[in-house]
Amino acid sequence: MDYKFLAVFFTLSIINVVFATIKSLVTINGGKAVASFISGGYFAFYNVMMIYTVADFPMWQKCAITFICNVVGVWLVKWGEEKARKDKLWKVEATVKPCEFEAIKTYCEVADLPFSYIDINKYILFNFYCATQKESAIVKDLLDKHNAKYFVSESKTL
């Protein structure tokens, strides 16, 4: 068994998976020029990958290496994407029954959450302004706990 060949195949497989995952993300989220160049680069690299894939070594090894590389490679790219993601400002608009008002207001003041509210008779309308993912999670849990109806909108750049 040629371990050097398997090591090269493993390395190329990891590169292939990472490249393919990045290509997918850029195709969806990127501009036309960047997506085109990334796609062209990926498919050029894929030709090299195909030569190694058709090489004469057992199918079970090809499948095992491909499986491992896909699990590891996609996880790494998604982890990197999460770390690179910037927080955005989210506005959460919620209606609650008046009997829930004091509990929510007190919690928000203690937790130092940015909010405003308006009494619209049958309901209290809360507006929360979440600048971090942590604040968004806190507000979601708070509103779910108090059976609030809400919707969320993301800030857009001008």
Side-chain angles (χ1 to χ4, degrees), residues 102-148:
E102 280 302 325
I104 294 172
K105 181 178 178 247
T106 302
Y107 182 90
C108 292
E109 290 170 345
V110 170
D112 199 28
L113 293 173
F115 73 99
S116 63
Y117 62 88
I118 302 169
D119 184 345
I120 54 175
N121 295 328
K122 189 175 177 184
Y123 296 101
I124 306 294
L125 176 66
F126 275 93
N127 288 302
F128 299 92
Y129 304 95
C130 304
T132 66
Q133 294 174 30
K134 182 179 177 185
E135 282 182 350
S136 298
I138 291 169
V139 168
K140 180 186 182 325
D141 290 343
L142 175 67
L143 295 175
D144 287 344
K145 178 181 173 187
H146 291 281
N147 299 314

Side-chain angles (χ1 to χ4, degrees), residues 40-51:
Y42 169 72
F43 283 106
F45 176 79
Y46 188 71
N47 286 325
V48 174
M49 196 63 225
M50 289 303 299
I51 291 167

Side-chain angles (χ1 to χ4, degrees), residues 81-90 131-133 154:
E81 180 189 27
E82 288 173 6
K83 293 295 178 192
R85 185 178 304 142
K86 295 178 182 169
D87 284 330
K88 297 179 182 180
L89 179 64
W90 295 89
T132 66
Q133 294 174 30
E154 174 188 358

Side-chain angles (χ1 to χ4, degrees), residues 92-107:
V92 181
E93 195 166 322
T95 54
V96 297
K97 294 180 181 174
C99 61
E100 303 286 351
F101 169 71
E102 280 302 325
I104 294 172
K105 181 178 178 247
T106 302
Y107 182 90

Side-chain angles (χ1 to χ4, degrees), residues 22-39:
I22 290 170
K23 179 190 78 68
S24 296
L25 293 172
V26 170
T27 299
I28 293 168
N29 301 320
K32 290 182 280 202
V34 174
S36 297
F37 280 104
I38 293 292
S39 182

